Amino acid sequence: MSKIAIVTDSNSGITQEEGRRLGVSVIPMPFFINEKMYLEGITLSQDEFYQWLKSDASISTSQPSPGETMGLWDNLLKEYDEIVQIPMSSGLSATCATAMGLAQEYEAECSVDNQRISVTQRQSVVDAIALRDAGKSGAEIKKILEEEKFNSSIYITLETLKYLKKGGRITPAAAAIGTVLNLKPVLQLQGEKLDAFAKVRGKKQARRTMLKAMKADFEGRFAPFVQNGEMCLQAAYTGNPEEAEEWKQEMQETFPGMEIHMDPLSLSVACHIGYGSLAIACSKKVTA
């Protein structure tokens, strides 16, 4: 049986420590803060990132260098026969396209474009491990994960409109009006795009809107998977763990009996939506 290495990036929410425990290589995502480069989870912690964010530092995202990626693959191929790499969604970053371009130089490397980020990307990594352990080849793992790419859903609400304004997603006037009226957007991430889903008054209403939307997904397009026990429920947040625990409990009350995995949202997302966000997500568990 082929010996397969699984690789992902820190957008998955998998830390370096968890990666070692899972037997997965985690490429740290680079950030430029006040023109100095930091690596997520190595030279930049979650707490440090939010301190920089709150101080209005200049923060920009980047992608791992081709040399770093290829160096990792070369080292892994000394021990493994194949590599399956699961980067963040191609619709949200050029990281995936870069990995797939580099993979053309490596017959034994399969980069997966299955449109995932954060906790749903993490589930893809867990699925890849299960498929590998069941004897699937790298090409088979890639095919299965890409076929399942739209069987996931994420809803996010924000604490502030400041970072959407900063990124040019809304106008300064709309941000000012929204702040005065305490409007909280609910954003939807399904597949490759982050879209507006709803706009409500206050975070409590936003939380209710997200729970209602996820319940509709469970009772609608994901109903067969729910009935078969194949759906995973997840929560995520940006720098607000106490509020996130309350949110997780609220989710548990709406979806009794379901196990909920919760992680901080990846810093690549937090960079654009700011501190204090909450998310609910689901993804279909792949069975070998």
Side-chain angles (χ1 to χ4, degrees):
M1 189 169 70
S2 182
K3 198 174 178 188
I4 300 172
I6 308 294
V7 179
T8 189
D9 55 51
S10 57
N11 286 306
S12 64
I14 297 175
T15 63
Q16 297 296 323
E17 182 182 349
E18 187 181 10
R20 285 189 287 272
R21 193 168 67 248
L22 292 171
V24 170
S25 296
V26 181
I27 299 175
M29 294 302 290
F31 290 80
F32 284 91
I33 302 178
N34 293 338
E35 299 184 0
K36 181 181 176 181
M37 192 180 82
Y38 294 84
L39 297 175
E40 183 172 7
I42 294 181
T43 56
L44 181 66
S45 70
Q46 287 267 329
D47 288 344
E48 288 165 341
F49 173 83
Y50 288 110
Q51 286 170 15
W52 283 115
L53 196 69
K54 288 177 182 178
S55 71
D56 282 331
S58 171
I59 302 177
S60 60
T61 57
S62 186
Q63 58 176 307
S65 73
E68 180 188 354
T69 301
M70 294 170 79
L72 173 63
W73 292 352
D74 289 339
N75 282 330
L76 288 172
L77 289 172
K78 293 173 185 175
E79 182 182 349
Y80 294 89
D81 302 311
E82 294 183 86
I83 297 169
V84 172
Q85 176 146 335
I86 304 167
M88 71 184 290
S89 169
S90 62
L92 301 173
S93 169
T95 302
C96 184
T98 299
M100 297 190 87
L102 295 174
Q104 294 176 13
E105 304 295 320
Y106 289 76
E107 191 177 334
E109 204 286 334
C110 297
S111 282
V112 177
D113 184 9
N114 73 328
Q115 309 293 356
R116 301 290 177 90
I117 182 70
S118 186
V119 284
T120 60
Q121 183 182 348
R122 179 188 185 277
Q123 184 58 45
S124 293
V125 174
V126 172
D127 291 339
I129 293 169
L131 291 167
R132 176 197 64 190
D133 293 349
K136 301 293 185 186
S137 69
E140 288 172 325
I141 295 171
K142 172 181 169 71
K143 182 174 183 290
I144 292 167
L145 293 184
E146 290 184 346
E147 285 174 348
E148 299 282 358
K149 66 183 177 182
F150 293 122
N151 291 328
S152 71
S153 188
I154 303 178
Y155 298 95
I156 309 170
T157 191
L158 315 185
E159 181 64 36
T160 173
L161 298 172
K162 174 180 176 179
Y163 299 94
L164 289 183
K165 179 185 79 172
K166 199 171 181 181
R169 289 182 178 269
I170 59 173
T171 65
I177 293 168
T179 301
V180 169
L181 296 177
N182 193 27
L183 293 178
K184 302 293 182 190
V186 174
L187 308 177
Q188 179 183 40
L189 184 55
Q190 292 185 2
E192 60 187 16
K193 289 194 299 181
L194 181 66
D195 292 318
F197 178 76
K199 196 183 293 180
V200 296
R201 296 284 288 273
K203 209 165 186 182
K204 188 178 287 187
Q205 183 61 35
R207 284 157 69 151
R208 281 198 291 263
T209 298
M210 291 195 296
L211 290 170
K212 185 177 177 183
M214 187 58 73
K215 205 167 180 195
D217 282 345
F218 268 46
E219 292 170 355
R221 65 195 187 105
F222 297 143
F225 308 142
V226 173
Q227 289 162 9
N228 292 334
E230 295 173 329
M231 288 308 289
C232 300
L233 190 61
Q234 299 124 344
Y237 60 97
T238 58
N240 48 337
E242 295 84 3
E243 186 183 16
E245 284 296 337
E246 293 174 10
W247 169 234
K248 185 179 177 183
Q249 183 57 40
E250 196 174 344
M251 286 172 56
Q252 199 73 76
E253 290 166 6
T254 304
F255 300 93
M258 284 204 75
E259 184 180 340
I260 301 172
H261 177 85
M262 184 165 73
D263 275 335
L265 265 169
S266 67
L267 298 185
S268 294
V269 176
C271 197
H272 299 291
I273 62 176
Y275 174 88
S277 303
L278 295 171
I280 184 170
C282 71
S283 44
K284 177 178 176 281
K285 188 192 309 179
V286 173
T287 50

